[in-house]
Amino acid sequence: MILGIGTDLANIDRIAGTLERFGDRFRNRVFTETEQLKAERRADVAGTYAKRWAAKEACSKALGTGLRMGIAWKDMAVTNLRTGQPVMQVTGWAKERLDEMTPPGHEAIIHVTLTDDHPWAQAFVVIEARPVTEA
């Protein structure tokens, strides 16, 4: 069953300007160390940050809160599987909210997809509840 859906569109040039203006203050407030390492290794640094920004916004919408009610930017983090597939991990208040949303006997799965076409970066997040199967 679907528990939540969120999407966001971010302007890469706006994120580039924010990075230029605020630098580490912005990076450290919004992105985990792993996200920063990934972005800084990429040719399109601003595009990588913009996609992750959009993913965090989309995830907060899928959680039904937006960025309020105590959720922090770093409570949502995008990593990648070896295949390159993005994965959303939640901690802190975002994890508490996810656990609240998840019906008993189910596990929550967060699906995320990212794309960009300069000057836009977009993310979709779907939170699914799957019945837990006993082995």
Side-chain angles (χ1 to χ4, degrees):
M1 94 181 61
I2 303 299
L3 299 179
I5 300 172
T7 186
D8 193 66
L9 184 66
N11 185 289
I12 296 169
D13 294 333
R14 183 175 146 250
I15 296 296
T18 302
L19 287 164
E20 203 173 291
R21 184 170 178 203
F22 297 105
D24 285 342
R25 194 168 114 206
F26 172 65
R27 277 191 276 287
N28 294 332
R29 180 174 165 253
V30 176
F31 302 100
T32 65
E33 186 177 328
T34 300
E35 289 173 311
Q36 290 180 47
L37 290 170
K38 174 89 170 177
E40 298 298 328
R41 286 193 315 258
R42 290 289 182 83
D44 184 8
V45 172
T48 302
Y49 279 121
K51 285 186 280 190
R52 278 147 180 76
W53 170 280
K56 291 168 186 269
E57 287 274 6
C59 184
S60 71
K61 292 170 186 174
L63 288 168
T65 65
L67 285 162
R68 62 178 203 281
M69 297 175 57
I71 200 166
W73 287 104
K74 287 183 172 182
D75 285 349
M76 302 164 289
V78 178
T79 59
N80 296 83
L81 299 177
R82 280 201 155 105
T83 61
Q85 176 185 344
V87 178
M88 178 67 69
Q89 298 172 332
V90 293
T91 58
W93 194 90
K95 174 74 169 115
E96 290 174 25
R97 173 68 180 147
L98 181 63
D99 291 345
E100 272 176 25
M101 295 170 60
T102 307
H106 289 74
E107 63 179 341
I109 311 294
I110 302 174
H111 303 276
V112 61
T113 186
L114 309 172
T115 191
D116 65 288
D117 187 7
H118 196 90
W120 301 107
Q122 187 172 33
F124 286 95
V125 171
V126 176
I127 301 175
E128 172 190 12
R130 288 187 191 158
V132 175
T133 55
E134 304 277 334

